[in-house]
């Protein structure tokens, strides 16, 4: 129900933009977020945006480098990743949470019920 695109290989210092189409969702309102995971580690919150888009949350590790936005019809979320570093290498997942208030973003992955298939981001040094 969630379809990501935009991953790839980039050199350190470069940029990538990820997109997620959540138009398959039928809930009336939902927050959207990006998580990432590397082998052997837990899924990590990266950034999230509320239904109203008035609340945006970022992990400390990406603040000032990443931006998140949502389309006017609210069905697409994008993640603009700038000044990438090798530590950003991971599989990035888009997720939707329809159990929160319209202004909320939850940073815990267990709160999200709907996930994309993931897209690989690799940052070379």
């Amino acid at each position: 129900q969630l379809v990501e695109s935009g991953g790839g290989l980039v050199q350190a210092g470069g940029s990538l933009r990820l997109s997620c189409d959540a138009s398959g969702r039928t809930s009336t309102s939902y927050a959207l977020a990006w998580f990432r995971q590397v082998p052997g580690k837990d899924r990590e919150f990266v950034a999230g945006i509320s239904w109203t888009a008035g609340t945006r949350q970022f992990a400390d590790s990406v603040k000032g480098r990443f931006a998140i936005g949502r389309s006017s019809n609210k069905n697409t979320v994008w993640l603009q990743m700038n000044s990438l570093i090798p530590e950003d290498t991971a599989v990035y997942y888009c997720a939707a949470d329809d159990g929160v208030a319209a202004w909320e973003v939850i940073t815990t992955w267990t709160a999200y019920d709907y996930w994309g298939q993931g897209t690989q981001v690799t940052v070379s040094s």
Side-chain angles (χ1 to χ4, degrees):
Q1 290 178 316
L2 304 179
V3 181
E4 302 110 335
S5 61
L9 173 65
V10 65
Q11 288 189 330
S15 298
L16 280 175
R17 184 180 177 101
L18 305 182
S19 292
C20 174
D21 178 2
S23 58
R25 294 292 308 121
T26 58
S27 298
T28 55
S29 66
Y30 48 93
L32 288 170
W34 291 93
F35 291 79
R36 65 188 182 187
Q37 190 169 26
V38 298
K41 291 191 176 182
D42 289 338
R43 197 160 291 192
E44 174 190 23
F45 175 81
V46 176
I49 187 166
S50 63
W51 172 253
T52 62
T55 301
R56 304 176 194 218
Q57 298 268 24
F58 296 92
D60 288 344
S61 59
V62 306
K63 281 180 181 176
R65 300 189 297 122
F66 289 14
I68 190 169
R70 192 161 187 164
S71 60
S72 57
N73 67 5
K74 301 190 183 296
N75 289 334
T76 301
V77 63
W78 50 263
L79 181 70
Q80 179 65 42
M81 305 185 293
N82 300 323
S83 302
L84 285 161
I85 59 178
E87 290 76 15
D88 294 320
T89 296
V91 177
Y92 283 70
Y93 296 92
C94 176
D97 176 8
D98 60 4
V100 293
W103 59 87
E104 280 188 305
V105 175
I106 304 300
T107 62
T108 306
W109 72 268
T110 53
Y112 290 76
D113 295 319
Y114 308 98
W115 293 85
Q117 78 285 358
T119 185
Q120 177 70 45
V121 171
T122 302
V123 183
S124 63
S125 57

